[in-house]
Amino acid sequence: MQCAVRLFQANGYAATGVSAIIDRARIPKGSFYHHFPGGKEAVAVAAMNWLSIEVSRYLDGLADEGATGADMMLGIAKYAAAGLKDPKFKRGSLVAVLAAEAIPGSATIQRAVESAVVEWKARLAAGFLRAGEANADAKAETLLALLEGATTLARVHGRPELAIEIIERSILPDR
């Protein structure tokens, strides 16, 4: 899954072929199609589901430590910035890649991406509620959307830390 996620993030959905995933993962072609008989679409859904679980676990860990929604958003922004800094990956957002390139032709991928976003939004909203914030759901949704744009701007400007700065300004308005 990690290989597929990284390739989709770095190269896009359309530019990532099954053979590239097989080569990067160093698995036999037969094994790939045994686990993913639906080919690239099936692996994209599985990759999104895997990433959803990873991010949800991360957010749950922060919540267990008493993190607020703002703390959680900042954590995600730092993770995104680290991914942009790493010359080995230069990854972008899997959600953005699949939304732009795969969702128009795949209701299955659309459902997987939507499910992940709904999960993350719920966890963030719970963090905002813990901090006594009003409109927790709307705030979580707005900040998730902002993070997608902040990550894109950080990549455009070649400044990974810009993603963190934008999120900080939105959750700490006096900065």
Side-chain angles (χ1 to χ4, degrees):
M1 283 300 81
Q2 287 179 336
C3 292
V5 168
R6 300 293 186 241
L7 286 168
F8 289 143
Q9 288 174 315
N11 304 326
Y13 179 77
T16 300
V18 169
S19 61
I21 297 168
I22 290 169
D23 291 346
R24 180 86 168 261
R26 296 183 180 156
I27 58 172
K29 192 176 195 176
S31 291
F32 176 88
Y33 282 105
H34 172 76
H35 292 286
F36 304 106
K40 186 165 82 167
E41 180 181 49
V43 79
V45 168
M48 189 68 242
N49 291 339
W50 175 83
L51 185 62
S52 177
I53 290 167
E54 290 297 306
V55 172
S56 293
R57 282 184 187 151
Y58 172 71
L59 293 173
D60 289 345
L62 291 175
D64 289 346
E65 296 170 5
T68 64
D71 297 329
M72 296 161 95
M73 275 308 305
L74 192 54
I76 295 172
K78 288 178 180 177
Y79 181 80
L84 292 173
K85 285 180 187 176
D86 189 339
K88 189 175 177 185
F89 297 116
K90 286 287 186 188
R91 60 184 188 251
S93 164
L94 183 62
V95 170
V97 166
L98 294 179
E101 297 182 32
I103 284 178
S106 173
T108 305
I109 292 174
Q110 189 274 333
R111 283 190 298 276
V113 173
E114 182 178 28
S115 176
V117 170
V118 166
E119 288 288 324
W120 302 338
K121 178 183 155 192
R123 284 167 168 77
L124 290 167
F128 287 118
L129 284 174
R130 272 194 304 281
E133 301 248 0
N135 301 317
D137 253 15
K139 187 162 194 161
E141 187 172 64
T142 299
L143 286 171
L144 281 172
L146 182 63
L147 180 63
E148 289 297 326
T151 304
T152 299
L153 284 176
R155 185 174 241 176
V156 165
H157 293 296
R159 292 186 48 233
E161 67 280 358
L162 183 59
I164 299 167
E165 293 168 13
I166 291 170
I167 294 300
E168 283 178 334
R169 284 194 306 262
S170 67
I171 58 178
L172 306 167
D174 56 336
R175 292 190 99 205

